[in-house]
Amino acid sequence: MNNNITGILNMHNCNLCPRNCGADRTISDKGFCLSGEYPKAALASVHKFEEPPISGTRGSGTVFFSGCNLKCVYCQNYTISQENMGKTLTTEELARIFLSQQEKGVHNINLVSSGHFLPKVREALILAKQCGLSIPVVYNSGGYEKAESLKFLEGIVDIYLPDIKYFSSELSAKYSSAPDYFAAASKAVTEMYRQVGKNSFDSEGIMKKGVIIRHLVLPGCRKDSFKILDFIKDNFGDSVYVSLLSQYTPVYKAKEIKELNRRVTTFEYQSVIDYFFKIGLQYGYMQSRDSAESIYTPIFDLSGLDTGKD
Ligand code: SF4
């Protein structure tokens, strides 16, 4: 593990992610992710709707972070990701939240979109581990990360749960303001796999280490989905699992974009599943058609963030 917090983790000139804003995060939150130096979060909860080996029977100890380095027009969590609602936390407070999640009996700590806070989240995880955090750490990411920054999580994160959202730079520019999305995400996922290797599970089927790549099928974009599956097959084979999500719902700005203002059809989703098997992939998760129900969208009310200590 590299403990030298300089260079890419320097918050005075933030180049943590592919945006390379150069923002001084210690004095302002004016970078693209709208985030200061210290982590801001909107909810710590026990989540039961992740993939089965992550949620298991006792749930996943999620912490939802505010701000984001993507601007997805269809983001279900836009109140926290783009409107930046949340509570700023010290490193010690965040470490206590991780420990209090563990006390609830969850299978893992699940960091949802924490990449833009990597230096302080890393410190909080190290502190929590020194104080008894022993369950696996899941790094749940939109995929738009720098591989060089992720290297600082080696030995700290056990399970990576990255999205690969787009292959086409035209789509990633239009829908997430990130024309270089695939170039960054493909390198990021390669680094994630290098760190944790093939998936492993305990005797109850709960994941202990590995990578699950998530892909949300978008309306009118099934051929882009095929290219992402080709990339996964060619680079990882069956060593990572793939979670194909059908839950796309036109929310937020997507309601104003004609081609995004509908659900994915059964034909579109099924054709992506068929392609998954056609190219020889075997291990993954599919969703049922009712997965777009609002029960899967968390209510961000800052609950679970007050550890009762100053
Ligand atoms: S983490 Fe935020 S401030 Fe830093 S480069 Fe990325 S978007 Fe910009």
Side-chain angles (χ1 to χ4, degrees):
M1 189 194 310
N2 190 340
N3 283 309
N4 180 21
I5 303 294
T6 55
I8 204 160
L9 301 192
N10 176 6
M11 291 287 94
H12 289 283
N13 175 23
C14 185
N15 292 296
L16 198 55
C17 87
R19 297 277 173 203
N20 292 319
C21 298
D24 187 345
R25 301 266 305 267
T26 65
I27 55 168
S28 91
D29 55 6
K30 300 287 186 263
F32 190 92
C33 59
L34 302 177
S35 302
E37 181 179 18
Y38 280 86
K40 193 171 178 183
L43 176 67
S45 63
V46 177
H47 198 50
K48 301 218 163 157
F49 301 106
E50 302 286 30
E51 286 73 4
I54 303 291
S55 283
T57 51
R58 302 194 303 273
S60 180
T62 43
V63 180
F64 288 86
F65 290 87
S66 310
C68 188
N69 68 350
L70 289 171
K71 296 232 183 289
C72 303
V73 293
Y74 49 84
C75 183
Q76 286 190 318
N77 298 344
Y78 68 92
T79 53
I80 68 167
S81 64
Q82 297 184 42
E83 295 177 354
N84 210 16
M85 188 280 273
K87 176 184 177 191
T88 300
L89 303 162
T90 65
T91 308
E92 292 73 19
E93 285 170 330
L94 186 56
R96 279 202 294 269
I97 289 166
F98 296 152
L99 291 165
S100 98
Q101 290 284 62
Q102 177 171 261
E103 283 163 19
K104 292 176 193 158
V106 294
H107 294 292
N108 44 58
I109 298 298
N110 189 339
L111 310 167
V112 185
S113 294
S114 66
H116 47 296
F117 296 118
L118 192 149
K120 292 296 175 196
V121 167
R122 178 182 183 275
E123 278 178 34
L125 285 168
I126 291 170
L127 180 59
K129 283 176 187 242
Q130 286 165 352
C131 297
L133 183 72
S134 58
I135 55 178
V137 173
V138 180
Y139 188 87
N140 188 329
S141 156
Y144 192 54
E145 310 252 9
K146 258 189 194 167
E148 305 93 291
S149 299
L150 292 171
K151 285 187 199 302
F152 286 87
L153 296 175
E154 186 163 10
I156 297 174
V157 166
D158 302 284
I159 298 164
Y160 282 102
L161 202 52
D163 294 334
I164 300 186
K165 295 175 186 288
Y166 316 95
F167 182 87
S168 151
S169 45
E170 192 185 327
L171 288 176
S172 61
K174 196 165 154 193
Y175 296 152
S176 294
S177 304
D180 59 342
Y181 176 86
F182 182 77
S186 53
K187 286 191 199 123
V189 173
T190 302
E191 167 60 19
M192 292 172 184
Y193 179 68
R194 185 197 68 76
Q195 287 181 24
V196 295
K198 282 184 88 164
N199 293 352
S200 65
F201 303 86
D202 69 12
S203 58
E204 294 172 347
I206 306 300
M207 200 161 178
K208 291 289 164 205
K209 255 190 189 304
V211 179
I212 300 176
I213 298 173
R214 283 179 167 168
H215 174 64
L216 176 69
V217 180
L218 293 173
C221 299
R222 67 193 180 93
K223 291 190 177 156
D224 202 62
S225 301
F226 297 169
K227 289 180 186 160
I228 291 166
L229 292 176
D230 284 336
F231 165 78
I232 294 170
K233 170 71 179 164
D234 292 347
N235 289 275
F236 308 110
D238 279 327
S239 297
V240 302
Y241 285 23
V242 182
S243 181
L244 290 172
L245 306 174
S246 65
Q247 69 190 38
Y248 173 80
T249 310
V251 293
Y252 189 43
K253 294 178 182 168
K255 287 191 267 191
E256 320 298 325
I257 300 171
K258 189 166 170 272
E259 61 271 28
L260 285 186
N261 192 20
R262 65 167 174 88
R263 296 275 316 274
V264 167
T265 64
T266 301
F267 166 76
E268 285 174 315
Y269 185 58
Q270 188 59 48
S271 71
V272 176
I273 292 173
D274 291 346
Y275 194 80
F276 172 92
F277 288 115
K278 184 180 155 199
I279 61 174
L281 288 167
Q282 297 184 70
Y283 300 118
Y285 305 96
M286 312 316 85
Q287 277 187 318
S288 59
R289 289 288 296 162
D290 59 7
S291 300
E293 300 297 325
S294 60
I295 190 170
Y296 293 94
T297 307
I299 297 165
F300 299 112
D301 59 3
L302 307 183
S303 61
L305 300 178
D306 186 358
T307 54
K309 294 171 194 165
D310 292 321

